[in-house]
Amino acid sequence: MHESEPSGIAPLSEEELRELDAHWRAANYLAVGQIYLLGNALLREPLLPEHIKPRLLGHWGASPGLNLVHTHVNRVVKQRDLDAICIWGPGHGGPAVLANSWLEGSYTDAYPDVTRDADGMARLFRQFSFPGGVPSHVAPETPGSIHEGGELGYSLSHAYGAALDNPGLLVACVVGDGEAETGPLATAWHGNKFLDPVHDGAVLPILHLNGYKIANPAVLARLPEDELDALLRGYGHDPIHVTGDDPLAVHRLMAHAMDTAVDRITAFQQAARTEGDTSRAHWPVIVLRTPKGWTGPAVVDGKPVEGTWRAHQVPLNQVRDNPERLAQLSDWLRSYRPEDLFDEHGRPTPQVLACVPDGQRRIGSNPHANGGRLLHALPIPPLEHYAVPVDKPGSTLHEPTRVLGDLLAQVMADTAERRDFRIVGPDETASNRLQAVYTATGKAWQAELLDSDEHLTRDGRVMEILSEHTCQGWLEGYLLTGRHGLFSCYEAFVHIVDSMVSQHIKWLRTTRRIPWRAPIASLNYLLTSHVWRQDHNGFSHQDPGFVDHVLNKSPEAVRVYFPPDANTLLAVADHVLRSRDYVNVVVAGKQPCFDWLTLEEARTHCSRGAGIWPWAGTDDGSREPDVVLACAGDVPTQEVLAASDLLREHLPELAVRVVNVVDIARLMPAEEHPHGMPDREFDALFTRDRPVIFAYHGYPWLIHRLAYRRAVHPQVHVRGYKESGTTTTPFDMVVRNDLDRYRLVMDVIDRVPGLSVRAAAVRQRMADVRIRHEAWIREHGADLPEVVDWTWHR
């Protein structure tokens, strides 16, 4: 591919070559103009200091390569009438993607004031990295983008997520050589072992090796070609190399590389779809080596720039103040011959637009890149078919996630034809009790199959890989292209995607303010195998802090739920699977748990988000309660009810109110979160001045942070996880963290005025049980019988 054309593919004609080069030069001109120009967009007069932006921001280095890719993707899309989107891994190459969307007209479709003429070009230039304008990287504001370019590492997993269940879609994905050094990107190469050539589309990775990051060489760019080939072939790809710095020669090579890649993809898909070929395809990857900052200033102040790390951001600084730099910028811009690329009105010439597809085939207008336009409501069956019967609270036990698994299996079955729902997770679907879904679909797998394997199928819609990054990236790409999904994960290890979820929340917050972006299905997390039932795995598996991380983010996009039993989990799942434009975090146990609420009660309770359980306390409403026992989470709820039971037995005259919180944001003020409670509602629930003993699933200081403005906050005492964990018994976990029923009773005695002296004997009895517990588990290796056998019998 370096020196000769592959046989069977027609070479570019001279006219095609001129058209491609014109489009590429136009895009390069527009990219430079966005970084530098405040006026004189078409250089119709000599360039003056006042034409230059006061702050020069942006990234030039990757832009020429991205422009080359965009130009050549345009060509194959138009010639072959392909349905294609692009994902731009070098996110700071924003000037290139904006330039191309303006050239094709999709930018003007989204922003009618940025017209495709001289005035619109001036607006395009001015708004870039300018107050009130658009970011310097590929962002939600960019037509055709489903990938936030602010953080590197996720482009390839997004691309595979977009291709899943989109059999007619080609996803071209540019992987920057700096991005290729990240852990998430390195693992994402394995997406080809999960891509079904029958039911899924294709991903065409384009590894762009321009040699440098901000200040250092890129690892893959410095590998000998045979070593890089061995790496990519080991990943299961078939490399096609394009290398050069002569534009016309590179155009010819790139055109042939694109044709070769698309031909191979088409052949793989046809063999699988029409001939039943089940062998694993070795999909093509294009390795593109071009200089960083290609066609930009070669030397500045005697130092090489083009082809070095110095081209990464703004190659020419101090242009306003340095006449030599200003002249050099003028020469650079004029080297693209803008007078040949744009007519007297500033519109792109027919030659420039010859390779651009029409209508929705334009990269910036493809509906898959605005997935909400393609989204259909998820068919969720009636919850009554799955709800567990509850004759009285706390008399039966179920595994909540197993009950949910039956519902999800039906959703899988009901989407079998439309194929727009997937479950992802790091090898934990069955561990998290969701294995009922295997009655409706298998686990996606294209690699070797053994007779001992279970549930592995080539067309499965459960995705398991032991990389939370890859699971997250797959699901994000899937949702952003108009489908639905669920991410099931052990609670402690979802932290691995902290940064990724932050970026997705930022994307959602931004798109809510972009009128042409349609809402997408919410990103739903099911966090189970949680902190209180990781007693067998120990301290390393005990961390409930993901909720704290998420609740720091944009309130309009974040929801967190703690369903206390199976029916409440069903009601929460029904809500989150129907929702749009949120990140929903649902924390629920997989171990046997008491059933507290009927389905009808659970629905009502979830609608409230927080409410009094009258049957659980002794507060009859005739007077204010003496104490409020509040809880959020399944284990804290059980401990609070057990504590209420003990108080009823030992201090029957005490008026105890039990409040359960499902939607944790209800604790926030209404002005801080859409689900927050007004003060009067909060005061009615928790009182203004009575002691509140709050048993919380996670770190206790979160509750204080959410409720610190409330009148009752000085009276709020929170028990939760305080980093005291080990391999031990289930009840010992709550004892170690002072969340147990006996400690809660002691807290009530300590904090209800006048009770500490009167109930000193009761308090001592509670403390004695905790001492006896310690001795018992060390001797028997199991919890106290009165704990194990406890049920709610009121």
Side-chain angles (χ1 to χ4, degrees):
M1 189 53 89
H2 292 289
E3 299 175 356
S4 61
E5 313 270 351
S7 60
I9 297 177
L12 289 176
S13 69
E14 289 301 315
E15 182 178 3
E16 286 178 310
L17 184 61
R18 287 192 295 270
E19 291 168 348
L20 291 171
D21 189 60
H23 184 275
W24 180 62
R25 286 188 288 115
N28 286 338
Y29 179 84
L30 294 170
V32 181
Q34 290 174 79
I35 295 172
Y36 285 96
L37 296 184
L38 194 61
N40 194 15
L42 283 161
L43 301 184
R44 297 281 168 81
E45 55 184 288
L47 195 60
L48 301 175
E50 54 264 34
H51 297 147
I52 309 301
K53 292 181 176 182
R55 300 176 69 234
L56 299 179
L57 303 170
H59 293 71
W60 163 247
S63 291
L66 297 186
N67 284 332
L68 182 83
V69 171
H70 209 304
T71 297
H72 283 267
V73 170
N74 278 344
R75 171 185 167 271
V76 295
V77 167
K78 184 170 184 177
Q79 286 190 356
R80 299 171 183 244
D81 191 31
L82 297 179
D83 191 9
I85 63 173
C86 289
I87 292 178
W88 310 99
H92 282 299
V97 186
L98 292 168
N100 281 278
S101 64
W102 185 84
L103 282 174
E104 71 184 14
S106 61
Y107 201 88
T108 302
D109 292 345
Y111 306 100
D113 61 318
V114 186
T115 49
R116 202 158 45 151
D117 55 19
D119 290 341
M121 187 188 298
R123 291 189 182 95
L124 180 77
F125 288 179
R126 182 183 182 88
Q127 70 180 11
F128 180 80
S129 284
F130 203 79
V134 298
S136 66
H137 46 81
V138 181
E141 293 91 343
T142 310
S145 171
I146 67 162
H147 179 76
E148 168 61 62
E151 182 174 347
L152 301 179
Y154 314 132
S155 62
L156 195 54
S157 58
H158 283 167
Y160 278 106
L164 296 172
D165 295 323
N166 267 328
L169 187 66
L170 173 67
V171 185
C173 178
V174 183
V175 177
D177 48 8
E179 180 183 32
E181 297 176 8
T182 66
L185 196 288
T187 306
W189 291 108
H190 292 301
N192 57 13
K193 286 84 171 175
F194 299 83
L195 198 70
D196 176 16
V198 176
H199 296 94
D200 301 332
V203 174
L204 175 57
I206 301 170
L207 178 59
H208 186 207
L209 304 178
N210 62 27
Y212 295 90
K213 306 184 287 286
I214 295 174
N216 284 288
V219 171
L220 295 189
R222 293 291 178 93
L223 294 184
E225 187 171 298
D226 59 344
E227 186 177 343
L228 179 61
D229 261 19
L231 177 67
L232 294 173
R233 292 182 189 279
Y235 279 135
H237 282 286
D238 189 5
I240 305 169
H241 290 268
V242 175
T243 302
D245 59 6
D246 176 67
L248 298 184
V250 173
H251 280 306
R252 291 188 183 277
L253 291 171
M254 189 64 179
H256 286 288
M258 291 295 297
D259 283 335
T260 302
V262 174
D263 284 349
R264 290 179 186 173
I265 288 169
T266 302
F268 289 143
Q269 291 176 334
Q270 287 180 346
R273 295 172 187 180
T274 63
E275 302 168 19
D277 185 356
T278 59
S279 59
R280 181 160 66 90
H282 283 68
W283 302 96
V285 55
I286 294 176
V287 180
L288 174 63
R289 292 181 186 264
T290 57
K292 196 175 186 77
W294 192 18
T295 71
V299 177
V300 177
D301 292 341
K303 295 180 179 180
V305 174
E306 182 186 21
T308 77
W309 54 271
R310 295 185 181 90
H312 181 73
Q313 290 178 296
V314 180
L316 293 171
N317 286 306
Q318 302 174 334
V319 178
R320 275 192 163 199
D321 305 321
N322 187 324
E324 291 183 7
R325 295 276 178 89
L326 184 65
Q328 195 171 7
L329 174 61
S330 179
D331 290 343
W332 177 15
L333 285 164
R334 294 185 188 281
S335 72
Y336 298 115
R337 305 192 301 279
E339 64 277 5
D340 297 336
L341 306 174
F342 306 99
D343 67 16
E344 66 274 16
H345 303 290
R347 294 189 291 252
T349 65
Q351 185 184 48
V352 167
L353 299 181
C355 66
V356 174
D358 298 321
Q360 292 189 353
R361 289 296 195 238
R362 294 173 295 171
I363 299 303
S365 298
N366 192 299
H368 292 286
N370 189 3
R373 293 171 55 189
L374 305 176
L375 188 64
H376 297 284
L378 199 62
I380 302 176
L383 300 186
E384 287 77 5
H385 297 168
Y386 308 94
V388 300
V390 181
D391 295 328
K392 60 178 184 177
S395 59
T396 57
L397 298 98
H398 284 86
E399 298 169 355
T401 56
R402 188 182 298 273
V403 174
L404 175 63
D406 292 333
L407 173 71
L408 296 176
Q410 190 59 51
V411 175
M412 276 290 188
D414 291 342
T415 55
E417 294 300 320
R418 43 189 271 188
R419 296 184 66 91
D420 62 349
F421 177 69
R422 293 211 176 210
I423 293 174
V424 303
D427 193 31
E428 295 160 0
T429 305
S431 175
N432 290 336
R433 309 292 196 267
L434 302 179
Q435 63 265 40
V437 298
Y438 298 142
T439 63
T441 188
K443 292 181 282 189
W445 189 253
Q446 299 296 318
E448 182 183 8
L449 290 169
L450 303 178
D451 292 340
S452 57
D453 291 329
E454 291 184 345
H455 309 304
L456 298 182
T457 60
R458 299 191 183 280
D459 62 349
R461 286 183 289 136
V462 175
M463 309 281 290
E464 291 193 334
I465 186 173
L466 201 54
S467 164
E468 287 82 358
H469 287 123
T470 304
C471 292
Q472 174 89 11
W474 283 344
L475 184 55
E476 287 182 359
Y478 199 66
L479 300 176
L480 287 161
T481 47
R483 282 76 65 75
H484 304 260
L486 176 73
F487 186 170
S488 167
C489 188
Y490 280 18
E491 180 186 54
F493 303 128
V494 75
H495 273 296
I496 293 169
V497 301
D498 276 0
S499 186
M500 292 186 78
V501 70
S502 295
Q503 295 296 330
H504 190 72
I505 292 168
K506 293 173 189 293
W507 177 282
L508 293 177
R509 183 183 184 276
T510 302
T511 56
R512 284 168 174 263
R513 292 159 174 78
I514 300 175
W516 54 268
R517 284 277 184 188
I520 63 170
S522 297
L523 171 55
N524 300 313
Y525 292 99
L526 174 65
L527 306 187
T528 186
S529 297
H530 61 56
V531 59
W532 302 110
R533 295 311 307 269
Q534 279 294 332
D535 43 272
H536 60 302
N537 278 322
F539 199 27
S540 65
H541 284 55
Q542 297 161 359
D543 187 340
F546 186 70
V547 166
D548 302 59
H549 172 70
V550 167
L551 283 174
N552 280 326
K553 308 304 173 184
S554 304
E556 68 263 45
V558 170
R559 305 288 183 267
V560 176
Y561 301 98
F562 290 96
D565 67 358
N567 285 337
T568 316
L569 177 57
L570 286 177
V572 168
D574 180 74
H575 169 71
V576 301
L577 290 172
R578 296 179 192 274
S579 68
R580 302 286 183 272
D581 274 355
Y582 295 133
V583 168
N584 295 307
V585 181
V586 181
V587 184
K590 69 180 185 181
Q591 302 294 344
C593 170
F594 283 113
D595 305 315
W596 305 113
L597 303 180
T598 67
L599 178 61
E600 182 179 356
E601 291 168 339
R603 280 173 165 154
T604 302
H605 187 47
C606 289
S607 296
R608 292 194 197 104
I612 299 169
W613 284 2
W615 51 267
T618 56
D619 169 30
D620 61 7
S622 61
R623 61 186 177 91
E624 279 199 273
D626 295 310
V627 65
V628 177
L629 290 181
C631 48
D634 53 0
V635 169
T637 296
Q638 177 172 315
E639 292 308 302
V640 158
L641 291 189
S644 177
D645 195 19
L646 289 167
L647 289 169
R648 193 187 297 249
E649 176 184 352
H650 295 287
L651 298 169
E653 74 284 1
L654 202 66
V656 178
R657 174 179 293 179
V658 174
V659 174
N660 182 266
V661 180
V662 178
D663 179 352
I664 203 69
R666 293 288 283 153
L667 301 178
M668 299 174 71
E671 60 270 22
E672 296 295 331
H673 195 284
H675 286 196
M677 277 190 258
D679 283 339
R680 65 180 183 278
E681 186 179 347
F682 189 95
D683 294 346
L685 195 60
F686 291 97
T687 78
R688 291 180 59 85
D689 56 4
R690 300 306 169 104
V692 177
I693 312 301
F694 202 126
Y696 172 56
H697 174 89
Y699 293 108
W701 30 92
L702 175 66
I703 301 302
H704 287 294
R705 181 168 69 83
L706 300 182
Y708 81 97
R709 293 186 186 178
R710 305 297 190 175
V712 76
H713 183 251
Q715 302 299 323
V716 174
H717 180 68
V718 186
R719 294 295 187 180
Y721 183 68
K722 54 184 186 181
E723 286 293 307
S724 182
T726 186
T727 302
T728 185
T729 67
F731 188 66
D732 191 51
M733 275 299 299
V734 293
V735 173
R736 282 174 170 272
N737 290 277
D738 290 323
L739 184 68
D740 63 282
R741 60 200 67 179
Y742 305 110
R743 177 74 258 183
L744 296 177
V745 170
M746 294 163 67
D747 286 338
V748 170
I749 294 170
D750 291 345
R751 284 166 175 77
V752 172
L755 200 57
S756 59
V757 174
R758 181 160 53 88
V762 177
R763 191 187 192 286
Q764 181 174 295
R765 187 178 304 175
M766 299 298 110
D768 289 347
V769 177
R770 286 166 55 87
I771 294 171
R772 182 161 55 87
H773 151 82
E774 175 71 15
W776 180 274
I777 64 169
R778 288 184 178 274
E779 179 179 353
H780 299 280
D783 288 319
L784 289 167
E786 61 258 49
V787 171
V788 173
D789 298 334
W790 180 86
T791 61
W792 179 260
H793 57 276
R794 302 294 178 180

